[in-house]
Each structure stands twice: as C-alpha cells, then as structure tokens.
Amino acid sequence: MTAEGTNPGGETSSAGWTAAWELLLPTSAAPAGRRGQVLQEALREAVRSGRLAAGTRLPPSRELARDLGVSRGLVTDAYEQLTAEGYLVSVRGAGTWAGDAARPVPGSGAPAPAARRAAEFDLRPLGADLSLFPRSRWAAAQRRVLERAAHAELGYPDPRGLPELREELVRLLARRRGVVAAPEQVVVCAGVAQALSLLGLTLRGRGRRTVAVERPGPAELPELFDAVGLRAVPVPVDGQGLDARALEETGARLAVLTPAHQFPTGVACSPTRRSELLDWARRRDGLLVEDDYDGDFRYDRQPVGALQGLDPERVAYTGSVSKSLAPALRLGWLVVPPALVEPVAARKRLLDLGHPGLDQAVLAELLRRGEYDRQLRRCQRAYRERRDVLVAALGRWFPAARVTGVAAGLHAIVTLPARYGPTALFVERAARGGVALRALAEHGLPEAADGSVRLVLGFAHLPPGRLAEAVARLAECVDARSG
Ligand SMILES: Cc1ncc(COP(=O)(O)O)c(C=O)c1O
C-alpha cells in the first residue's frame, strides 16, 4: 500500500483513533517490564477489531509515549513490530497508519471488513464542532452549582424547568431571536426532539390526528410523530419557505417548520410567506411549531427574528443547545401559548419526572454570566469561516457547483451539473475514495429532473484545513468521470 492510500493527510485526532484510544490505556497501568508487550497486543487488537480503521493515522511516537506515560523507544518498537507484522503501515518521515491486512477473527463479534475505504472525511451534516464545547467553563459552573445547591435542589425538578433557567432563556430568546414570552410559557426539555414529541402528544390528546411537515425536511420527523399517534403529511417547500396553499389543502391544523433556515434547503421564510402562514393559523385555529434549530447562526446579516414574535398565540417555538454547546446535554426549550403550558408540563412530568436539574442550573449560570453569549460568538466566528472555506474549495475544485440557501447554520446545499451524476453513483464513488456524503434525496425529495447532483454538505464539524482537504479529495474521487 502506498502512502497515498493510507491517508497521509489524516489527523491523529480522527474518530477512528479516538475510538481505539481506550484500548491502549492498560499500557500505562502494566508493570514496567510488560508495557511494550501490552501496547503491542492492544494495538494489534485495535486494528484487528476494526476500532482502529484502516487508513487511520497514528499519533507520532513522541506524542503517544507522552500520553501513555511510557518511553518513546517502547512506542517506536511497537510501531516497528506491528509494521513488520502487517498491522500498521509506516512511511519514513511521513507517519504511521493502520493497515488493512488484518481480518476480524470469525465469531469474534468484530465488525466485518469494510467493503469500501473507511470514511476519512465526513461531509454529511453532522452538526456542531464538539471540540468547541467549553469544557473548563462548564466544569467550573458545575462546581459552583454543586457547592451552593441546597439539598432540596437535588429532588425532582419542576417539570416546566428551573425557574431561574426559564427566566434566563426568556431574556436570551427575546434579545437574540425576538421571541415574546413569559418564563411561565417555557418548558425545558431534552432538545427539539422531545419538544416535538411533547407537543405532539399534547395535541393528539386534544383531537389532532395529522401534522404537516416540510418536504424536504428532517428525515426522522414522520417516525417521531407516528410514535405519538400523529400522521405526518409532507408539504412542499419552495424558494420562500413552506408552501402555504399546499398546507391549506392538507386539512391539518398543526405544522412544523424551520423558518429561519429551512432544513435542509437553507431557504429563509420570506416576509410574505410568514404572513400567509400566520393567516392560515388564524383561519384554521391552527398552530405553527417553529423549529429554530440553528437560528443563532447567520453570516451575511443579523439573524431574522423568530416567527413566534409575530403571533405568540399561534406559534410555538423550540430550540436547543445542540448546535451551540453539545447534543449530549439533551437540553432544549419549548415556548408555548399559555393554554398549552400545563398540558405539556403534565406530559413532561409523566414521561420523565422533569429535566435533570443540575444541568439546567449549569446552563442558567452560563447564561447569567454572559458565557453562553461568548460561546455563541465563538461558534459564529468558527462556522462562518468554515462556510467560506467550503465555498472557496468548491469554487476551486468544482467551478460549476452552485451553493444555495442563505449563508447560515451548519450546512449548505450544493448542486453539481448532471455530468457528475447520477447522484447515487457520485455518492458511491466518493465513499470509495473515503468521503461520506448525504444526498438531498434522503430528505424526501425525488432526484432532480435535470439529473443534477444535489447534496447536503455539513461544514461546521470540520476544521477549515480538513474541509479544504475533503473537497480536494472529493474532486480526486470523481475527476475521472467528470473530466
Ligand atoms: C431540523 C433540526 N431540528 C432540530 C435538531 C436538533 O435536535 P435536538 O435539539 O433534539 O438535538 C436538529 C439536529 O440536527 C435538526 O437538524
């Protein structure tokens, strides 16, 4: 195998390496005389089991030795030994990678060998860059919260959420998104996902049977609503947002939409469409549910205010920290018209007895101290730069590419001329070359009539250098065909 084939551009912090890292930890704990052997066994096992995927770059020996607290010689010996055995591939002066010679032992439960090259670059819309999570600020706030919490605060929390968090959220959402609400209208919940299921359950209890969803839209929504007894009816999205006339025809009285930055097309709901949708809600005694999943991030202008602010009686609003902090927190909010607060909170109580109180207190602390705003600014800077890098790299390698949707959020829609297609083949060729892609068709749209290749590319989770490399690699994978 040549150096090209083994990811010379890979980073030591790649997902494959992280997944294998814990297998190596016993090395540090082993008696001094056995450490070399333990490290070699652990590396062999990591490659054999697939946890260290073929093509994953290993850290330089000096770095790994420092991390494991062993001598550098011990690591270089291990690399040399495993290279000789075929588990690793080394190129002098360039680095060491996991090789692809090893096969899982039958019946060991290890994953089957990959039919294609492991994805070295993932350009699917994967969300936030989790390395931007403010670990030390979160940890410090957690300590402060624990130090001052009375014993009683360790009991079951208010199912609507901690009052101090709801107050902070109302201030934040009014200031940044133009949301109009009293703290009593906020229910703290496990992200947008839970907000939608709580609201779905509540409205199912009030006789609703259908919910209109955007097409294209988030792929999971029909199943989520099915689980709470609602049938999802897809409604087309055009260049102005959710099609209000088509919505009318569904007969639904409940609709979920992403007005700030439609997912996935990236369209911003126009002022005219906003008023048509609000008219629909007023005429039909309907409710619009505004999923403001990435509304904080707009790069060409101030973010457009929330639809909710135009009619708080007709629009419920939901968002979360999944794009600004981390999805692992499962921390989000639902703002509902006053009449829905109690029924929604009752379901929250029934399902999980309230949201984890300590995490809520930590978020309230970050909000109070202005640290959450700082985090938003930091993400905004990073993501704006990454979007620019993506657009520039596409311009260089795919001059015919069109990037559509407003400059916002964490993903973009990219369309390539039909000569690159069909889409399925394009995605497959990219996968074989180590680049994972998501076709727009996966969000419920048929293929484009003109045969063009439409992709939903995520840019926020990759550092700028990796993004540029990913696009260059993509060009390499498809060049032969597109000329
Ligand atoms: C359209 C949309 N809504 C909401 C979310 C976030 O969901 P949650 O807040 O449950 O993490 C996502 C996540 O990627 C999304 O794409």
Side-chain angles (χ1 to χ4, degrees):
M1 186 183 291
T2 65
E4 268 70 30
T6 52
N7 182 22
E11 293 189 352
T12 53
S13 61
S14 71
W17 169 247
T18 311
W21 165 246
E22 67 203 58
L23 286 179
L24 268 49
L25 286 178
T27 309
S28 325
R34 288 201 62 242
R35 282 185 195 149
Q37 193 188 342
V38 170
L39 176 61
Q40 291 183 19
E41 279 167 7
L43 276 171
R44 244 181 241 114
E45 173 56 22
V47 176
R48 205 185 286 127
S49 68
R51 288 176 79 174
L52 197 50
T56 306
R57 188 183 184 131
L58 272 71
S61 53
R62 191 190 305 275
E63 241 174 66
L64 182 58
R66 190 193 55 219
D67 287 356
L68 293 175
V70 300
S71 73
R72 185 176 174 203
L74 192 134
V75 175
T76 49
D77 284 354
Y79 281 7
E80 271 170 32
Q81 179 62 27
L82 270 79
T83 300
E85 290 175 11
Y87 287 91
L88 301 181
V89 178
S90 294
V91 177
R92 192 178 296 279
T96 302
W97 293 267
D100 64 359
R103 291 289 175 270
V105 180
S108 66
R116 53 173 71 141
R117 205 160 157 181
E120 292 157 33
F121 299 100
D122 201 333
L123 282 175
R124 292 172 303 166
L126 298 184
D129 180 347
L130 303 179
S131 76
L132 297 180
F133 183 75
R135 286 175 189 252
S136 54
R137 287 180 198 280
W138 186 270
Q142 215 164 23
R143 172 173 289 275
R144 286 193 297 275
V145 162
L146 272 175
E147 277 168 3
R148 65 167 185 254
H151 294 324
E153 290 173 52
L154 302 179
Y156 291 108
D158 182 330
R160 288 171 302 173
L162 297 192
E164 72 258 33
L165 177 58
R166 287 185 281 133
E167 276 165 29
E168 290 296 338
L169 285 172
V170 160
R171 274 197 282 274
L172 173 85
L173 298 175
R175 183 163 43 80
R176 291 191 63 97
R177 307 292 303 121
V179 169
V180 177
E184 294 70 33
Q185 287 170 255
V186 178
V187 177
V188 177
C189 55
V192 169
Q194 192 182 42
L196 296 181
S197 41
L198 287 172
L199 209 44
L201 273 176
T202 302
L203 292 169
R204 174 75 172 72
R206 297 185 158 206
R208 301 288 186 278
R209 292 295 178 268
T210 52
V211 54
V213 297
E214 295 169 318
R215 185 167 75 179
E220 320 68 38
L221 281 194
E223 219 176 320
L224 180 151
F225 284 120
D226 186 55
V228 298
L230 291 175
R231 187 170 57 86
V233 187
V235 174
V237 170
D238 61 22
Q240 298 197 63
L242 184 70
D243 181 336
R245 200 164 309 155
L247 172 60
E248 182 89 48
E249 284 165 13
T250 64
R253 289 171 56 203
L254 172 65
V256 181
L257 69 167
T258 46
H261 187 225
Q262 203 275 330
F263 188 84
T265 62
V267 165
C269 191
S270 72
T272 313
R273 189 58 59 78
R274 286 172 167 236
S275 65
E276 287 169 5
L277 290 166
L278 291 171
D279 272 355
W280 165 85
R282 290 171 195 140
R283 268 186 292 106
R284 300 278 310 174
D285 188 22
L287 185 72
L288 293 163
V289 183
E290 177 170 23
D291 173 0
D292 201 28
Y293 68 107
D294 68 357
D296 277 303
F297 303 120
R298 179 91 193 227
Y299 312 122
D300 55 340
R301 50 163 292 159
Q302 285 287 102
V304 174
L307 185 63
Q308 191 270 359
L310 295 174
D311 194 341
E313 280 296 317
R314 290 290 160 204
V315 185
Y317 173 92
T318 176
S320 75
V321 301
S322 293
K323 303 287 188 282
S324 52
L325 289 170
L329 293 170
R330 307 312 303 133
L331 200 40
W333 41 86
L334 172 60
V335 179
V336 287
L340 287 176
V341 175
E342 275 318 312
V344 167
R347 278 158 180 91
K348 176 73 180 157
R349 182 191 291 113
L350 184 70
L351 290 180
D352 57 18
L353 297 176
H355 207 71
L358 294 174
D359 284 352
Q360 291 190 59
V362 174
L363 181 59
E365 173 87 353
L366 293 187
L367 282 161
R368 189 164 42 246
R369 296 166 67 100
E371 290 176 0
Y372 186 74
D373 277 274
R374 265 198 291 285
Q375 171 71 5
L376 287 175
R377 287 197 295 274
R378 189 170 170 227
C379 293
Q380 158 95 8
R381 273 195 304 277
Y383 298 160
R384 178 207 298 263
E385 181 192 3
R386 292 166 196 206
R387 188 177 187 281
D388 289 346
V389 166
L390 175 70
V391 171
L394 286 168
R396 171 167 180 207
W397 296 105
F398 296 91
R402 268 191 315 125
V403 180
T404 51
V406 294
L410 290 73
H411 73 277
I413 296 291
V414 174
T415 305
L416 295 166
R419 68 173 187 275
Y420 286 96
T423 304
L425 185 59
F426 185 90
V427 170
E428 178 60 27
R429 289 169 69 91
R432 285 185 194 285
V435 184
L437 295 177
R438 163 103 45 95
L440 179 60
E442 288 184 38
H443 291 275
L445 265 196
E447 294 293 338
D450 65 359
S452 55
V453 174
R454 297 184 301 188
L455 304 168
V456 189
L457 298 190
F459 53 79
H461 61 285
L462 289 174
R466 290 286 287 170
L467 253 183
E469 274 183 81
V471 178
R473 171 68 69 80
L474 184 59
E476 215 177 277
C477 312
V478 297
D479 242 351
R481 193 182 155 80
S482 56

